[in-house]
Structure formats: structure tokens, C-alpha cells
Amino acid sequence: MKTSVTNRKSLLVLLFILASWITFTVFQNSTKLWATFKLPISLHHWNFIMKSSCSEAPLCPVASAAETELKIKEIMEKLDQLIPPRPFTHVNTTTSASHSRATILNPRDTYCRGDQLDILLEVRDHLGRRKEYGGDFLRARMSSPALRAGATGKVTDFNNGTYLVSFTLFWEGRVSLSLLLMHPSEGVSALWRARNQGYDRVIFTGQFANGISRVDTDCALLLNSSADLCQYLDAQDQEAFYCVRPQHMPCAALTHMHSKNKNVSYLSKLEISLFKRSNVGVEILENFNVINVSKCNNETVPMKEKCKFGMTSTIPSGYVWKDTWNPVSCSLATVKKNECLRGKFMYLLGDSTIRQWMEYFKTSINTLKSVDLHGYGKFQNQLAVDLDRNINIQWQKHGYPLIGSLTYSVKDIEYMARAIDRTGGEKNTVIAISLGQHFRPFPIDVFIRRALNIHKAVQRLLLRSPDTMVVIKAENIREMHSDVERFSDFHGYIQYLVIKDIFQDLNVGIIDAWDMTIAYGTNNVHPPQNVVRNQINVLLNYVC
């Protein structure tokens, strides 16, 4: 009897040890087990490592800080290869629009709708000599003003001084062709080098408050100062903004900010001459005749599937006809905004170009009522609701850098990745993101880092809530001749390429505002209402 009891005790001890070992093993490998069964798991305290072999990005673990640094370096190296140095000693050796030669390949008297028209461009310098390398910043556009129609052309650089410019003839009628030399390759190289040299083209002034006392100090993404500094650090993504610490005030006393352009340039006098008004956006096809396009046949246009998340973008991505945007690869339906947005929570995150969407919603949906959040100025967060339809639309500014000559509050400033992280998300949640214009005056790595951090936040969101709808709005083009070194569309174009590259692996919607605003020919950072309306129509087709 005693032997039997002893054996049972020994068996129980062994079972307890075995159970403890299994529990410990499960705990140690819990992340792998959750992933195996694809069950939900809280992400707030986990640090995932991105693996390049993962084919479905929303299910992939999120990149570590070290991998983010590596990715920044990789993108920078690619861009440096794309934009090699092009030193020059005289403007005469740079690309000349008037001396370059453009030839229509296989010309015809009349073209058919749907045809492709190709132009071979041979660029030459101001002395008429052929260039032996590419890299010029060109903008191709076709238009029919009477039809309120426009589209971009596709430019292929052969890197030997020749380019192929291709136009798809989307509509019938008389079509005008345009090919602008925005900047010669030498100017592109100079802008790229200058951009990545310094952080001080824009000066930020922070206002600290302590009771009735007010003190202003210098602030920046990077401060070369021996003074004591306040560091405003996003600990998770290691992004920081700095201000000179005022005497007898804590860093937490920072309440407001404004900025102004600093009288500094990283361009030489010779390089600056390339960006005079007369040298920016010069027409190459000055003497080209109007193209006649006919219907030619009665073939029915094949039906395209409805625009949806995750679709691959094309060049061009669409065209304007009768003032309406028509995507190339998918179709848009007419959407009733009130019904489409019923029960939706929409977060508009970013700059003033997506704030235009907020303003459009408020003016075009009569039942939307603004909620006073007790802020002031154009950078204040905005909220509008329709209680009967349960519609909630919010706009929130992105974090530093935020350029504005008018003073704005920073009490509620927040990095976009953190705003996304605190969003629960579900099938009725829409997040629209716009980023770029305020980053143009700063080294490109600042923008790349921000875009990668937002990508990681979206990845985390789609992991915990895959039904959430996320839309990325690309940059608008802007005024052609204003402050080229800081705000040239060349800077915006590089950021446009970066955004498309970074977000291509996620199941998100892309609103190609870059292509749209060129097609509309706006040349305005804040395009008119008809353009905003069409951007929002693409958004609503994704959502509904």
C-alpha cells in the first residue's frame, strides 16, 4: 500500500514538472504560436522583425529600428544613383529647351482614340550640342481646354540624352501637347545636393509660457547650438524636434510655434541662375501643331472593375474629361456622400492639402455640423459630425516639421504614427494620410524616416484590424516658380516616388494626386474645388 501511494506521488510530481515545462515553452514561443493559428494578439508591447520573404505585408511582423535605418540607407543609395552629380562651369553646357529636338514617331494626319502617340526627344545644350546623359526633370501633358480634358504623358529616360515621351489619346477632338523642361539635369543634381546639406532653410520659433511670462526660442529638427536644449522625442520611432531651453522654464512649457524662411542657400551663384523664372518650366514643343483625334471605330469600351484597395498604379493613372477624373485601370461610380459615409469614422491625417478635403465635406454635406474644439488658426484640429447618420470626420495636422508663418498651437501636436497606433480600427473606420509639402525644404532622410514609421503604424493597424480602410493621398504639384530651392516640384516628385515604393506592399488605396493635379494643370498647392471634388470621389469609391 505504501509503495502504491509513493508511486502516485512520484507520478504527480513528474506530471507537475512536465506541465511546468510545457507552460514555459508555450510562453517563450507565444508569438510564433499566435502567428501559426492567426489569432488576434495585442501589439502594443511587442517588437516584431520584418522578414523580406513575407509575401503578405499586413500579416508580416513590423520592422525593428535597426531595419528601418537599413531601409533608409538603401533608399538613399537608390536615389543617389538615380540623381548623379552633374557639375558644370557655364550655363551654356546645360540642357536648353529651345535647342532640343522633338520628333513624332510615325506621324499621321489623324489619330484614333486609344492610340499611343510617341515622341523622341533629343536634348541639347545652349550651344546646340547633343547631351550624352539624361536626368532632366520633364513634365509631359496633353490637353483639350474646350473639352475640359487633360492627361499626363509617360517619360522614359534612356540616360544618353534621349527620351521617349508617350501619350495615350484618351478622347476625341483637338489635342494640344506640352513637354516642359522643369529643370535641366544639372539643376536637378544641384537641388538634390543642396537639399541634403542642411536643415536650416526654415527657422522655427517656439513660444514657452509660464504663468504670464512668455519666452521665444529657436527650434529645429537639428540645432547646432551649445545652449541647453529641450528634446521632444518620439521614443518609439526615435524622431526628435529640439528647442533652446529658456531660462527658468521647463521644456513642457512649450505651447506655440511659427516659422519663417531663412536667407540661406546651398546653391552656388552659377547654380542659382538655372532657377530664374525664365528657366523653369520652359516649353520644348513650342511649335508643335494640334493633334486631331477621331473615334475611328464603333468598338465598345471594355468594362473595368470598380476601383478597390491594393490595385497596382499605372502611368498615367487616369485622365480628365469634362472636368471629371477617369482612372485607367478601374472605374468610378457616382457616390452619394451622405449614404456612403453613414456609420463611418473618417480620420484625415496630414497637411493642409488633405484639410481641403475636410473643408469640402463640411461645405458639401449640409447635415455635417462642425464641433468647436476650442483651438485657433488653420492648424487647429477639426471635427464634424452628423448625429443622425452617425458620421464622424476628423482632420489632424501631422507632427514636426510643420511650416507656418502664423502662430499655431503645439499642445496637441502628435506624430501620425502615434495617431494611427491609438486608432482601434474596424470595417467602418477610414484613415486617409497625406504627407510631403512641409518636408520639401529638409534633407530627404527626414521624409523617408517618417514615411517608413507611418508604414509600420499602418502595418500594425492592419494586423490588429484588417478591415480598416487606409488611403494614401500623394502630393499635389504646386506653384512652379516660387522658392525653387525649398519647394520645387522636383523635391515633391522624389517624395512621390518614395511613398509609392514604401506603401506598395500594403493593401491600401492610393489617390494619385500628383498625376491628377498635372492632368488638371493646376500648378497650385491648394487646387480648386473641382479637383478636390474629384480626389474625394476616388476616396468614396474606395470606401463604398
Side-chain angles (χ1 to χ4, degrees):
M1 187 73 176
K2 288 183 180 179
T3 305
S4 176
V5 170
T6 303
N7 288 341
R8 285 180 185 176
K9 287 183 177 179
S10 300
L11 182 61
L12 287 172
V13 170
L14 285 171
L15 287 172
F16 176 78
I17 293 170
L18 179 63
S20 299
W21 179 80
I22 291 172
T23 302
F24 176 78
T25 303
V26 169
F27 178 79
Q28 288 292 91
N29 296 279
S30 58
T31 305
K32 293 179 182 177
L33 288 172
W34 283 116
T36 301
F37 292 105
K38 296 184 178 178
L39 295 175
I41 182 171
S42 174
L43 305 181
H44 298 293
H45 305 291
W46 292 88
N47 180 31
F48 292 101
I49 307 297
M50 181 179 290
K51 296 180 181 178
S52 59
S53 60
C54 187
S55 59
E56 295 184 52
L59 301 179
C60 287
V62 180
S64 67
E67 287 184 315
T68 298
E69 295 299 326
L70 182 61
K71 185 66 175 175
I72 293 170
K73 183 180 178 182
E74 289 175 356
I75 295 174
M76 287 290 295
E77 288 175 352
K78 286 181 182 178
L79 291 173
D80 283 334
Q81 291 172 5
L82 184 68
I83 316 162
R86 297 297 184 198
F88 65 103
T89 56
H90 198 283
V91 172
N92 283 345
T93 63
T94 66
T95 308
S96 163
S98 60
H99 288 83
S100 297
R101 297 178 184 176
T103 307
I104 295 180
L105 301 180
N106 303 315
R108 286 180 271 167
D109 292 334
T110 301
Y111 292 84
C112 296
R113 188 182 68 186
D115 284 351
Q116 180 170 300
L117 185 149
D118 292 324
I119 294 174
L120 181 67
L121 173 66
E122 296 180 351
V123 293
R124 297 173 180 265
D125 65 19
H126 291 265
L127 300 176
R129 298 174 301 193
R130 268 202 58 179
K131 300 286 290 295
E132 295 181 353
Y133 51 85
D136 299 291
F137 184 38
L138 303 171
R139 177 173 294 170
R141 180 174 181 261
M142 54 185 279
S143 62
S144 297
L147 299 173
R148 292 175 296 162
T152 62
K154 179 181 179 180
V155 178
T156 304
D157 185 352
F158 295 113
N159 297 309
N160 61 1
T162 63
Y163 300 81
L164 181 67
V165 184
S166 302
F167 294 97
T168 301
L169 304 176
F170 291 109
W171 61 85
E172 306 162 45
R174 292 167 59 81
V175 176
S176 299
L177 304 179
S178 170
L179 182 60
L180 301 180
L181 176 62
M182 301 296 290
H183 305 309
S185 53
E186 295 80 10
V188 165
S189 172
L191 285 176
W192 179 243
R193 188 205 72 248
R195 174 177 186 171
N196 294 308
Q197 272 187 258
Y199 293 81
D200 57 347
R201 291 176 188 80
V202 177
I203 304 171
F204 293 91
T205 300
Q207 183 181 100
F208 291 77
N210 189 0
I212 59 172
S213 301
R214 298 286 186 275
V215 178
D216 290 347
T217 73
D218 290 338
C219 302
L221 290 165
L222 183 67
L223 273 175
N224 293 319
S225 174
S226 58
D228 192 17
L229 300 180
C230 292
Q231 181 191 55
Y232 301 96
L233 175 69
D234 181 275
Q236 182 166 337
D237 289 332
Q238 293 299 302
E239 294 191 79
F241 193 77
Y242 301 88
C243 291
V244 173
R245 184 194 295 268
Q247 288 186 348
H248 313 302
M249 282 193 187
C251 292
L254 178 65
T255 60
H256 293 82
M257 189 79 62
H258 68 270
S259 69
K260 65 179 181 179
N261 294 338
K262 184 178 180 180
N263 186 23
V264 62
S265 174
Y266 291 93
L267 298 171
S268 68
K269 289 183 178 179
L270 182 62
E271 290 169 338
I272 289 172
S273 68
L274 296 178
F275 305 111
K276 293 190 298 185
R277 190 179 188 89
S278 59
N279 292 333
V280 175
V282 184
E283 183 61 69
I284 294 174
L285 308 182
E286 191 70 52
N287 300 315
F288 261 53
N289 295 324
V290 171
I291 302 298
N292 294 304
V293 182
S294 301
K295 189 174 183 180
C296 292
N297 55 56
N298 294 319
E299 290 183 12
T300 56
V301 178
M303 292 291 292
K304 293 181 287 189
E305 63 176 324
K306 183 180 179 295
C307 296
K308 60 184 180 181
F309 290 94
M311 297 189 96
T312 304
S313 61
T314 59
I315 303 174
S317 61
Y319 64 96
V320 181
W321 187 67
K322 291 187 176 179
D323 206 32
T324 300
W325 179 253
N326 299 271
V328 168
S329 58
C330 58
S331 64
L332 298 176
T334 302
V335 179
K336 293 183 179 179
K337 292 187 285 291
N338 287 24
E339 293 308 312
C340 173
L341 295 176
R342 182 184 291 272
K344 298 291 191 298
F345 289 80
M346 182 174 288
Y347 301 92
L348 307 177
L349 306 177
D351 56 31
S352 58
T353 67
I354 205 167
R355 187 182 66 216
Q356 279 191 286
W357 291 10
M358 183 73 182
E359 292 163 353
Y360 181 84
F361 280 128
K362 290 193 293 186
T363 56
S364 64
I365 302 177
N366 295 331
T367 55
L368 267 183
K369 304 301 179 186
S370 293
V371 177
D372 186 1
L373 299 178
H374 303 288
Y376 73 94
K378 284 202 168 185
F379 283 141
Q380 64 174 299
N381 293 346
Q382 297 185 30
L383 170 64
V385 298
D386 178 339
L387 296 178
D388 291 334
R389 292 180 176 84
N390 192 24
I391 300 172
N392 181 308
I393 305 177
Q394 301 178 29
W395 173 78
Q396 179 178 325
K397 59 184 175 285
H398 63 66
Y400 306 116
L402 197 63
I403 298 169
S405 57
L406 300 176
T407 300
Y408 57 90
S409 172
V410 296
K411 296 175 185 177
D412 57 357
I413 201 164
E414 182 179 32
Y415 286 104
M416 207 180 292
R418 301 291 74 75
I420 296 168
D421 279 341
R422 62 178 173 77
T423 302
E426 42 82 49
K427 66 179 181 179
N428 288 315
T429 299
V430 183
I431 297 179
I433 296 166
S434 181
L435 192 73
Q437 298 286 347
H438 293 258
F439 289 78
R440 292 189 183 191
F442 303 102
I444 190 66
D445 66 289
V446 176
F447 178 79
I448 297 171
R449 182 183 306 279
R450 187 66 51 84
L452 287 170
N453 288 335
I454 293 170
H455 176 277
K456 289 190 290 185
V458 171
Q459 210 173 8
R460 290 190 290 268
L461 172 64
L462 295 179
L463 272 165
R464 66 180 178 270
S465 184
D467 291 334
T468 307
M469 293 173 278
V470 180
V471 175
I472 309 296
K473 175 195 166 292
E475 287 186 52
N476 301 335
I477 62 170
R478 63 181 299 150
E479 297 75 10
M480 202 178 293
H481 299 102
S482 62
D483 204 349
V484 174
E485 184 175 353
R486 288 182 183 84
F487 294 109
S488 167
D489 270 343
F490 165 69
H491 299 318
Y493 178 65
I494 296 300
Q495 293 177 173
Y496 166 67
L497 295 180
V498 168
I499 281 287
K500 289 208 300 182
D501 180 66
I502 287 175
F503 283 91
Q504 65 180 336
D505 65 335
L506 293 182
N507 187 35
V508 300
I510 301 290
I511 297 181
D512 197 341
W514 184 268
D515 199 50
M516 290 178 73
T517 48
I518 294 177
Y520 276 99
T522 56
N523 296 317
N524 190 328
V525 67
H526 297 120
Q529 287 294 289
N530 63 315
V531 180
V532 176
R533 182 183 69 248
N534 278 275
Q535 291 178 351
I536 287 175
N537 188 45
V538 179
L539 170 71
L540 296 181
N541 270 265
Y542 277 128
V543 171
C544 301

